[in-house]
Amino acid sequence: MVALAMVLVFLLVLSRGESELDAKISSPEKATEWRDPEPSLQGSCQPASSCRECILSHPSCAWCKQLNFTASGLAEERRCGRRQELLARGCPPGELEEPRGEPQRLRVSFLRAEGYPVDLYYLMDLSYSMKDDLERVRQLGHALLLRLQEVTHSVRIGFGSFVDKTVLPFVSTVPSKLRHPCPTRLERCQPPFSFHHVLSLTGDAEAFEREVGRQSVSGNLDSPEGGFDAILQAALCQERIGWRNVSRLLVFTSDDTFHTAGDGKLGGIFMPSDGHCHLDSNGLYSRSPEFDYPSVGQVAQALSAANIQPIFAVTSATLPVYQELSKLIPKSAVGELSEDSSNVVQLIMDAYNSLSSTVTLEHSPLPPGVHISYESQCGDPEKRESEAGDRGQCNHVRTNQTVNFLVTLQATRCFSEPHLLKLRALGFSEELIVELHTLCDCNCGDTQPQAPHCSDGQGLLQCGVCSCAPGRLGRLCECSEAELSSPDLESGCRAPNGTGPLCSGKGRCHCGRCSCSGQSSGRLCECDDASCERHEGVLCGGFGRCRCGLCHCYANHTGRACECSEDTDRCISPDGNLCSGHGRCKCNRCQCSDGHFGALCEQCPGCETSCERYRDCAECGAFGTGPLALNCSRACASANVTLTLAPILDDGWCKERTLDNQLFFFLVEEEAEDKVVLRVRPQERVDHTQAIVLGCMGGIVAVGLGIVLAYRLSVEIYDRREYRRFEKERQQLNWKQDSNPLYRSAITTTVNPHFQEGRSPLL
């Protein structure tokens, strides 16, 4: 069987006495059988010389350890094969040696201790809409340190800010706007930037307030911000930020959503984020215009790799977006930020308490064929919560409380070298390392030295195969090397006439017996178990076993290649008849009668429809007219014709015409004993004279109105054209009068200054 053996190479106890991880290995409770479920692998099992080599060659291989399983001349390598193949060849299920995965259980304990050190990096959106929030943050240092020092004696804080990429359409690239992007020129404003690392982590609250006090808002054009660039750089530039090996918190504050991967194409940026730190000497993300925004997956992976727990402090308008984002980032929290960030300290404390009281155990990537599951013991030892397999989690863990995780590992295949599995609690940098080995060998209980089965002790019996003592040969160690040159031994490997090659040229002669190679079998290897006929490229169609060139079919299959199924499920038509009553079912396929075709023989282009077949009977039986009117009772004896006023609800009604071209409808209903019921609707004769007269009158009126409208339209067009010509001539006449001296007036107006306004003529 295949067992997963785990060797714990490092028992980890966290330093500083704040938390503890412990691990113990427990015995497997039950060995569960595993079979490779992938059908694509089923044809890959090849013969092998030993049981161990067999089960290591492919997950679908099994080994038959039954004694004398190869007595018919088969080579011992033919003991290796797929389970179904070996069972079909007569190997009892109890004699099969198959790969099995034995689950191994590991208990991991976690103790939440008091006063675990904290590093907190405050990452703030400095777009113009956060102007009032910046005033609050400038006074945040002392208050935040004092609150955090209530839960831990070692705390440091740092500060960084972000706006957006400095390219269109995210930021205005007009030179004056790049220098001063704020709406009014009188207020303090800094040029836009992507991410600016302002202050490394420090325990000096005054330094925090001093550096934040020097900051001012900036501006951009669109609503989403470049926060993902800032988060990624804060996680990647660990030395510049100053992260310690402690609990790491990143407080992200913003009043808007975020750009993500692909948005950079709007600004002509096509290169994906490379996942490296790119802070220059001034703490600015210098290569922001070159790389696209990171994706949510990149951000989540970088935060997890750096063991950083993000706290999203956002306003109510964007809260739902960040709540959905938090579901994609492990060990993250979201809180609602007031419009002026006045509640940010309490928000951070609530989020920290929630994160620190949640213990999540996760693992590094598993090698192929290894499965993991978790059982969480969060409080009551008798109460266990099974997890889906990705991680184990306990919520609301109190200080100094120990929680346990039962980690079950199971291997479904062997791997050639040890694999290191890392277990860690999110938010803590320490890891528990487990070295995994697979012990792959056959568990054959028939191992016997000097076994009687091997020619009375001439060899070791293991997994049904004799390993002969020195100088002995044969399947059962029945002959010695000195006897190999005896002609009598070779005679047992030839045909009775003594001619032809040994073992038909398909095997080797050992001690007078043939040991066949490949798919050959028989006393003289005369049978080839791979030479049977194939159907669709598969030996015996996949529904039989090849024996000595002939297919031996499984139940419900016949034919030279077992290609013919005796089932009839594919021949049943919707009415329940085989092949619609117009053919016979052979090999689960319809063979149609002449004139019919289709998968179920349902189509017949030259056949009369039921409507055509019963049209004359419906007409003569209902109206006494038609070609069968004189002998309707005899010709339509099997038809029961009735008149009905039922409405025509579907397309099942027949629509036909009488000899005088009158339309009528009838419905054909089949009955037992070749009887039919024809339900005919009475003819509806409609006098169309009135409709014709009204239609003609309406047509005349419509034509007359059309003529009148056409005449009126032509007159209107003519009048407009004449008016435009008149206006043009009048304008030309006025021009001539103004420009020609002959048309100027000869009257001159003289103004007497004595009669100007404000003067009297007597003065």
Side-chain angles (χ1 to χ4, degrees):
M1 65 181 65
V2 179
L4 176 70
M6 297 184 296
V7 181
L8 187 61
V9 298
F10 186 64
L11 181 61
L12 179 62
V13 179
L14 298 187
S15 59
R16 296 179 298 277
E18 287 126 1
S19 300
E20 291 185 358
L21 276 176
D22 192 9
K24 293 182 179 179
I25 298 178
S26 57
S27 300
E29 294 183 352
K30 182 179 180 181
T32 54
E33 180 179 350
W34 167 82
R35 294 300 304 165
D36 194 330
E38 303 178 30
S40 61
L41 301 177
Q42 296 302 307
S44 301
C45 187
Q46 301 296 328
S49 59
S50 68
C51 181
R52 175 181 172 82
E53 181 183 345
C54 175
I55 64 173
L56 287 177
S57 63
H58 195 269
S60 66
C61 288
W63 179 270
C64 181
K65 58 184 179 181
Q66 181 189 26
L67 299 179
N68 298 321
F69 180 68
T70 57
S72 61
L74 294 175
E76 296 293 350
E77 289 83 354
R78 296 289 302 279
R79 291 179 177 270
C80 184
R82 292 184 294 116
R83 175 186 176 87
Q84 295 301 326
E85 176 189 345
L86 295 177
L87 292 176
R89 283 162 47 195
C91 184
E95 297 293 333
L96 285 177
E97 192 66 25
E98 304 175 79
R100 298 176 182 268
E102 291 188 353
Q104 299 288 329
R105 177 163 291 180
L106 175 71
R107 182 177 65 85
V108 179
S109 300
F110 179 88
L111 171 65
R112 182 191 173 189
E114 185 178 359
Y116 197 77
V118 173
D119 280 354
L120 186 147
Y121 191 74
Y122 198 96
L123 187 57
M124 184 176 181
D125 176 7
L126 283 188
S127 58
Y128 189 76
S129 58
M130 295 287 288
K131 179 180 177 181
D132 55 344
D133 300 78
L134 181 59
E135 297 299 326
R136 289 279 185 180
V137 177
R138 286 170 178 165
Q139 308 168 9
L140 182 66
H142 281 96
L144 184 57
L145 279 176
L146 288 176
R147 290 297 304 274
L148 287 173
Q149 287 172 355
E150 294 176 3
V151 295
T152 176
H153 63 277
S154 177
V155 58
R156 299 192 309 168
I157 56 176
F159 185 81
S161 57
F162 64 91
V163 182
D164 212 336
K165 293 185 182 296
T166 54
V167 296
L168 277 174
F170 314 118
V171 168
S172 175
T173 55
V174 176
S176 59
K177 284 294 185 180
L178 284 177
R179 292 190 298 270
H180 192 282
C182 296
T184 60
R185 304 292 299 174
L186 300 178
E187 60 185 327
R188 183 183 173 190
C189 187
Q190 63 174 320
F193 54 90
S194 177
F195 167 61
H196 184 199
H197 168 54
V198 178
L199 177 67
S200 297
L201 292 163
T202 177
D204 188 352
E206 294 182 357
F208 181 89
E209 294 181 351
R210 181 174 60 253
E211 292 297 330
V212 176
R214 296 173 180 171
Q215 304 302 308
S216 57
V217 294
S218 184
N220 60 334
L221 293 179
D222 61 343
S223 295
E225 317 294 0
F228 272 17
D229 273 341
I231 294 176
L232 190 66
Q233 291 299 305
L236 296 173
C237 304
Q238 298 191 29
E239 293 185 3
R240 295 290 300 275
I241 304 297
W243 294 111
R244 295 180 297 172
N245 227 2
V246 297
S247 286
R248 300 174 175 180
L249 303 179
L250 186 146
V251 179
F252 179 95
T253 60
S254 178
D255 63 348
D256 219 319
T257 56
F258 44 83
H259 283 295
T260 185
D263 291 352
K265 295 180 181 179
L266 298 174
I269 304 174
F270 296 93
M271 188 179 301
S273 176
D274 65 348
H276 291 89
C277 175
H278 295 294
L279 295 185
D280 61 14
S281 58
N282 296 320
L284 292 171
Y285 179 23
S286 58
R287 302 188 65 180
S288 171
E290 301 176 29
F291 294 109
D292 192 8
Y293 300 98
S295 65
V296 175
Q298 283 179 295
V299 172
Q301 192 276 334
L303 290 173
S304 178
N307 234 345
I308 296 174
Q309 305 171 72
I311 299 174
F312 298 103
V314 294
T315 54
S316 58
T318 59
L319 188 64
V321 176
Y322 284 91
Q323 287 174 337
E324 293 299 317
L325 175 64
S326 179
K327 297 177 182 179
L328 304 175
I329 300 179
K331 208 72 183 296
S332 61
V334 181
E336 183 175 347
L337 189 68
S338 61
E339 294 299 328
D340 59 353
S341 297
S342 58
N343 67 330
V344 66
V345 174
Q346 186 59 45
L347 187 153
I348 293 173
M349 295 306 302
D350 293 343
Y352 170 74
N353 290 330
S354 174
L355 291 174
S356 59
S357 64
T358 300
V359 180
T360 303
L361 187 69
E362 68 170 11
H363 57 269
S364 60
L366 296 169
V370 175
H371 302 283
I372 190 170
S373 61
Y374 292 88
E375 286 186 6
S376 304
Q377 295 179 340
C378 303
D380 187 357
E382 301 299 327
K383 183 179 179 181
R384 300 180 180 180
E385 299 179 5
S386 297
E387 305 294 339
D390 293 336
R391 58 178 58 92
Q393 181 168 305
C394 286
N395 301 315
H396 311 297
V397 179
R398 301 180 303 276
T399 303
N400 295 323
Q401 178 185 352
T402 300
V403 293
N404 296 310
F405 300 96
L406 298 179
V407 184
T408 302
L409 293 161
Q410 185 175 9
T412 58
R413 64 181 64 184
C414 303
F415 40 90
S416 57
E417 57 186 17
H419 179 83
L420 295 182
L421 177 67
K422 298 179 180 180
L423 299 171
R424 69 168 182 172
L426 291 182
F428 300 92
S429 59
E430 290 81 1
E431 296 175 336
L432 182 67
I433 301 177
V434 179
E435 185 174 306
L436 304 180
H437 297 260
T438 50
L439 302 179
C440 298
D441 207 345
C442 294
N443 187 24
C444 297
D446 62 348
T447 303
Q448 302 178 32
Q450 299 180 350
H453 179 73
C454 302
S455 300
D456 296 327
Q458 297 298 325
L460 169 70
L461 179 64
Q462 186 176 25
C463 294
V465 179
C466 288
S467 299
C468 300
R472 303 297 296 184
L473 299 172
R475 187 178 67 85
L476 300 178
C477 309
E478 63 270 25
C479 64
S480 63
E481 294 179 352
E483 298 173 327
L484 290 179
S485 58
S486 173
D488 295 337
L489 291 179
E490 290 189 358
S491 62
C493 300
R494 295 184 186 274
N497 57 11
T499 60
L502 291 173
C503 301
S504 305
K506 302 176 183 178
R508 294 177 298 172
C509 184
H510 288 303
C511 304
R513 298 175 62 91
C514 286
S515 177
C516 305
S517 58
Q519 299 294 323
S520 300
S521 62
R523 189 180 70 84
L524 298 176
C525 305
E526 69 278 7
C527 292
D528 189 351
D529 294 342
S531 62
C532 294
E533 292 192 23
R534 297 174 180 266
H535 177 63
E536 296 181 350
V538 181
L539 191 68
C540 296
F543 300 107
R545 187 161 60 91
C546 182
R547 291 180 181 175
C548 206
L550 294 177
C551 286
H552 294 260
C553 303
Y554 301 147
N556 292 332
H557 283 83
T558 59
R560 296 176 61 86
C562 303
E563 75 281 5
C564 185
S565 172
E566 295 181 352
D567 295 332
T568 59
D569 55 316
R570 296 184 181 179
C571 297
I572 299 177
S573 54
D575 58 5
N577 295 321
L578 285 177
C579 303
S580 304
H582 303 299
R584 62 191 185 93
C585 186
K586 184 177 181 181
C587 297
N588 210 9
R589 292 184 179 181
C590 285
Q591 293 185 345
C592 304
S593 304
D594 293 340
H596 292 80
F597 68 95
L600 298 174
C601 306
E602 72 279 9
Q603 301 183 44
C604 180
C607 300
E608 283 186 329
T609 64
S610 58
C611 294
E612 295 172 337
R613 188 179 310 117
Y614 296 109
R615 175 187 58 195
D616 295 338
C617 289
E619 181 180 358
C620 73
F623 312 119
T625 60
L628 301 180
L630 298 179
N631 61 341
C632 185
S633 58
R634 291 198 308 273
C636 302
S638 62
N640 181 13
V641 183
T642 60
L643 291 174
T644 179
L645 296 177
I648 302 174
L649 299 178
D650 52 36
D651 295 335
W653 285 74
C654 299
K655 179 181 177 182
E656 300 292 341
R657 290 187 179 274
T658 62
L659 290 179
D660 56 353
N661 206 30
Q662 294 291 325
L663 187 66
F664 73 99
F665 298 88
F666 64 95
L667 182 66
V668 180
E669 296 180 353
E670 301 283 348
E671 286 189 347
E673 299 179 359
D674 297 329
K675 296 287 186 179
V676 294
V677 175
L678 304 179
R679 302 188 184 278
V680 185
R681 283 179 56 87
Q683 292 177 332
E684 298 178 0
R685 300 180 180 271
V686 181
D687 187 1
H688 299 289
T689 304
Q690 184 178 2
I692 293 173
V693 172
L694 292 177
C696 292
M697 293 178 63
I700 294 172
V701 172
V703 171
L705 289 175
I707 294 173
V708 172
L709 291 175
Y711 171 75
R712 184 69 186 88
L713 181 62
S714 64
V715 171
E716 180 69 18
I717 294 173
Y718 176 78
D719 290 346
R720 289 178 180 273
R721 185 184 301 115
E722 291 296 320
Y723 179 76
R724 285 196 299 270
R725 186 170 64 180
F726 168 76
E727 286 292 326
K728 183 177 180 181
E729 292 176 352
R730 188 173 66 83
Q731 291 175 359
Q732 292 176 352
L733 180 62
N734 292 337
W735 177 82
K736 290 179 180 180
Q737 291 177 352
D738 294 340
S739 60
N740 194 336
L742 297 177
Y743 289 95
R744 293 180 180 176
S745 175
I747 301 174
T748 303
T749 303
T750 303
V751 179
N752 191 339
H754 293 287
F755 290 94
Q756 292 181 4
E757 182 180 359
R759 292 187 178 186
S760 172
L762 299 178
L763 296 179

